[in-house]
Amino acid sequence: MAAHSNPSGQPLVDGPRDPEHDPTASWALEPSFVDSLTRRVVSTTGETRPTMSPLNGQPLAHIPQSGPDDVAEAFRRARRAQHAWLRTSLEERSAALLRLHDLILDHQDQLLDLIVLESGKARKHAFDEPLHVALTARYYGRTAEKVLRTERRPGVVPGLTRVDVHHPPKGVVAVISPWNYPLTMALSDGLAAIAAGNAVVAKPDAQTMLTALYAARLLEEAGLPADLWQVVAGPGSQLGPQMIERADYVCFTGSTATGKKIAAGCAEQLIGCSLELGGKNPIVVLRDADVERAAEGAVRACFSNAGQLCVSTERMFVADQVFDRFLERFVARTEALSLGASTDWGVDMGSLISQEQLDTVERHVEDARAKGATVLTGGRARPDLGPYVYEPTILLGVTPDMLCFSEETFGPVVAVHRFHDEAEAVARSNDGDYGLNASVWSRDTARARRVAEHIKCGTVNINEAFAATFASLAAPMGGMRQSGLGRRQGPEGLLRFTETQSIATQRLVRFAPMLGMSDEAYAKVMTAQLRLMKRLGRA
Ligand code: NAD
């Protein structure tokens, strides 16, 4: 058993770690450790909700639930803390983020245990999460000051109108996140909000509360004021509207269906929101692609986190010229993946998170099979490995009448299609309502970039699955069309959490006739001025 320990020195995961050696494996969390986390939920209802681990279906924790009064209290506390936070310098905020960077890396074993226990994903896919959060903390820790700095812009009368543009924070940001990346989704967006001077009230998904609460603890250790990051727990359909009513901005990650409800609620309150939603992401393998490299990348694109990844691939378009060679390599590499439900390293693809996810995956595959698709590999659940383990599945002959043609499966299922020319590949990639992420493979990167520019997705990766854009923190990330509104990452991901305030100071001249000048004479002078300014090349 690997020796992980929580900050009190106790093992975080207690019990056999490898179900292959002990099929009755149980991963018990020390009750006092669980208690130290769940106490952070703002809750006075006395109600709790049990969670269980997808690794073995056994109980994991009882999460206290928040009622309407608790949501109100969380916002009250956050608002108070935000007023004090606003007075801290940008250097202090950045220093806290850089301390968090180190804490995340120092505590990665505990975080990985919690992520795997709550989500069932393979440990190697869980590692993407502390990695992404550390990158985010470092990026905003190092750049927020420059992006948020008050900026001088040209005034209307050169030399006499001074314009300063400020970026004050929105106030209290509601962060509502899904279960698929329990650490990244609960934390990364909120870090940008904090860096911009806001407080956060977070509502992580019910299944992955412990990871989110552990993250809240690390934020406090990094030096954030205790009340700046509030956590509430409960059904999104109940807490969501209560949060929207009190928030100054909503940052939502989840399904398109829920995103539309959030947008409607925010419209009612006339507050802004960013929506990171679903996708049906394509890969395009061009005729000159390095087939071996593309097949390796395609496996990561389709089966990372068992396909429960917003940017993972569910549609593949492969050029005629390389179709057979690519498919043979892709199937072979997929069949070589080791599956399992374990907190240990060494599993290539882990479990789905729940019966609900398993049901969707089975429904989509059975529907495709019944309507004539061929299952090249996979296509069945593996209860012998874990209650929700499903084999990585490659389908051929998927047609528009099948559910998995255009609906997001959010599981380890991909449909492979053949194309004859690039224009056709682009058109088919752009088919459907989503526009989150795409991936293009070619030895000619300039050509691949030209193809990429025609794909209507917020991010496109060339010769990589999704990590090149997702881990390039300086680049904005988000969806076009039904995949969302707004962008995370980059300056855009920070500025969404701010207002823009312009303060103009006028000297000497005024914007009205002076020295007894008539309105008509004033209009003539101003008209001549406008003409002169244009001739001088002024903006
Ligand atoms: P979901 O929309 O069901 O739930 C997401 C969160 O919203 C949860 O915390 C949930 O409790 C809450 N919620 C549910 N109903 C709500 C309501 N009426 N008001 C407010 N909050 C509510 O999504 P899910 O099934 O948990 O997550 C999977 C989906 O998320 C997939 O579609 C996936 O593509 C998407 N996703 C997108 C990104 C991205 O960056 N674009 C990242 C991860 C996941």
Side-chain angles (χ1 to χ4, degrees):
M1 188 199 308
H4 306 304
S5 64
N6 67 37
S8 64
Q10 299 298 313
L12 188 54
V13 171
D14 184 18
R17 299 175 62 84
D18 185 352
E20 263 181 29
H21 298 117
D22 179 357
T24 64
S26 76
W27 292 272
L29 288 170
E30 191 198 341
S32 65
F33 169 69
V34 172
D35 190 48
S36 73
L37 296 182
T38 55
R39 262 188 278 124
R40 290 178 176 271
V41 178
V42 185
S43 169
T44 54
T45 59
E47 291 166 24
T48 61
R49 179 189 184 278
T51 60
M52 56 97 191
S53 175
L55 293 180
N56 55 7
Q58 290 181 11
L60 205 50
H62 285 85
I63 308 294
Q65 300 294 284
S66 310
D69 291 346
D70 300 315
V71 173
E73 175 60 14
F75 274 88
R76 250 192 311 274
R77 288 185 202 166
R79 211 165 279 291
R80 251 195 328 263
Q82 195 261 333
H83 289 144
W85 184 240
L86 195 52
R87 289 194 293 274
T88 58
S89 66
L90 282 164
E91 291 83 4
E92 281 174 76
R93 292 184 214 161
S94 293
L97 289 184
L98 294 174
R99 280 194 298 274
L100 179 75
H101 170 275
D102 295 346
L103 283 166
I104 291 283
L105 296 182
D106 292 347
H107 291 251
Q108 66 173 283
D109 279 340
Q110 292 89 340
L111 285 166
L112 295 185
D113 275 348
L114 285 177
I115 293 168
V116 177
L117 280 176
E118 290 196 311
S119 71
K121 67 174 71 177
R123 198 171 189 87
K124 73 176 193 183
H125 296 145
F127 177 69
D128 291 347
E129 304 208 43
L131 189 67
H132 186 261
V133 171
L135 282 169
T136 307
R138 192 183 76 206
Y139 174 73
Y140 285 120
R142 292 264 154 81
T143 62
E145 198 182 340
K146 188 162 168 251
V147 176
L148 296 172
R149 199 181 288 156
T150 297
E151 193 190 336
R152 219 20 133 56
R153 301 255 182 110
V156 60
V157 187
L160 298 181
T161 314
R162 167 188 164 146
V163 177
D164 297 302
V165 177
H166 298 266
H167 300 289
K170 291 276 185 188
V172 181
V173 174
V175 176
I176 302 176
S177 54
W179 44 262
N180 65 331
Y181 277 70
L183 180 68
T184 310
M185 294 299 147
L187 198 53
S188 290
D189 288 306
L191 293 185
I194 293 285
N198 299 281
V200 165
V201 176
K203 196 214 79 62
D205 189 86
Q207 168 63 23
T208 51
M209 287 297 298
L210 295 179
T211 307
L213 290 164
Y214 195 85
R217 169 151 121 188
L218 294 182
L219 284 169
E220 204 176 319
E221 272 184 51
L224 291 190
D227 282 344
L228 198 68
W229 189 282
Q230 300 289 316
V231 182
V232 292
S237 54
Q238 284 170 32
L239 265 55
Q242 296 163 19
M243 293 174 78
I244 292 170
E245 218 172 273
R246 292 175 172 83
D248 300 305
Y249 188 87
V250 179
C251 170
F252 173 77
T253 308
S255 62
T256 298
T258 309
K260 287 181 178 175
K261 290 183 193 160
I262 302 275
C266 289
E268 197 59 42
Q269 299 295 323
L270 210 60
I271 56 170
C273 60
S274 58
L275 306 170
E276 303 284 346
L277 310 176
K280 190 76 187 172
N281 309 303
I283 269 191
V284 179
V285 181
L286 299 179
R287 65 170 185 264
D288 63 348
D290 177 333
V291 165
E292 195 60 51
R293 215 179 135 196
E296 186 277 332
V299 168
R300 279 183 291 114
C302 301
F303 305 126
S304 289
N305 196 20
Q308 300 165 117
L309 169 60
C310 56
V311 288
S312 72
T313 294
E314 297 191 358
R315 301 181 297 150
M316 199 171 279
F317 301 101
V318 185
D320 263 340
Q321 295 83 345
V322 288
F323 189 85
D324 294 336
R325 274 190 300 137
F326 171 83
L327 203 55
E328 185 268 315
R329 294 313 303 141
F330 180 44
V331 170
R333 282 182 170 275
T334 300
E335 289 180 342
L337 294 175
S338 66
L339 312 185
S342 165
T343 55
D344 278 340
W345 297 100
V347 171
D348 289 329
M349 197 187 91
S351 173
L352 296 169
I353 196 164
S354 63
Q355 185 64 47
E356 197 185 341
Q357 285 302 113
L358 181 61
D359 289 346
T360 306
V361 170
E362 287 190 316
R363 192 161 45 85
H364 279 200
V365 174
E366 287 323 307
D367 171 78
R369 216 193 300 252
K371 290 174 180 162
T374 306
V375 178
L376 291 182
T377 187
R380 64 190 176 124
R382 293 294 300 272
D384 53 318
L385 297 175
Y388 313 126
V389 176
Y390 194 90
E391 289 181 345
T393 301
I394 303 173
L395 301 176
L396 202 57
V398 168
T399 48
D401 57 322
M402 300 177 191
L403 292 173
C404 70
F405 183 84
S406 51
E407 273 184 34
E408 185 185 39
T409 306
F410 218 50
V413 181
V414 63
V416 185
H417 307 272
R418 185 191 284 268
F419 73 82
H420 309 291
D421 67 69
E422 278 167 27
E424 179 202 345
V426 168
R428 291 170 75 184
S429 296
N430 289 337
D431 216 17
D433 299 329
Y434 292 114
L436 190 57
N437 180 58
S439 164
V440 179
W441 296 77
S442 168
R443 283 196 170 91
D444 179 348
T445 50
R447 181 148 149 254
R449 276 195 295 274
R450 280 196 301 277
V451 169
E453 282 171 23
H454 290 96
I455 295 180
K456 293 180 194 156
C457 285
T459 51
V460 185
N461 296 265
I462 291 167
N463 294 335
E464 186 45 72
F466 52 80
T469 49
F470 200 53
S472 296
L473 263 291
M477 192 239 149
M480 296 184 185
R481 304 186 282 167
Q482 299 284 302
S483 290
L485 285 178
R487 294 291 181 267
R488 59 163 54 113
Q489 304 191 170
E492 293 84 351
L494 188 67
L495 290 172
R496 71 186 149 151
F497 296 123
T498 65
E499 295 288 358
T500 305
Q501 183 190 39
S502 301
I503 299 182
T505 312
Q506 189 60 34
R507 292 195 300 136
L508 300 177
V509 295
R510 57 182 195 179
F511 294 96
M514 290 194 295
L515 307 168
M517 190 187 270
S518 71
D519 287 340
E520 191 180 355
Y522 173 74
K524 280 192 177 136
V525 170
M526 292 307 284
T527 303
Q529 269 230 358
L530 286 175
R531 294 210 162 100
L532 177 65
M533 289 295 194
K534 185 183 171 235
R535 228 174 296 132
L536 292 175
R538 294 267 176 182

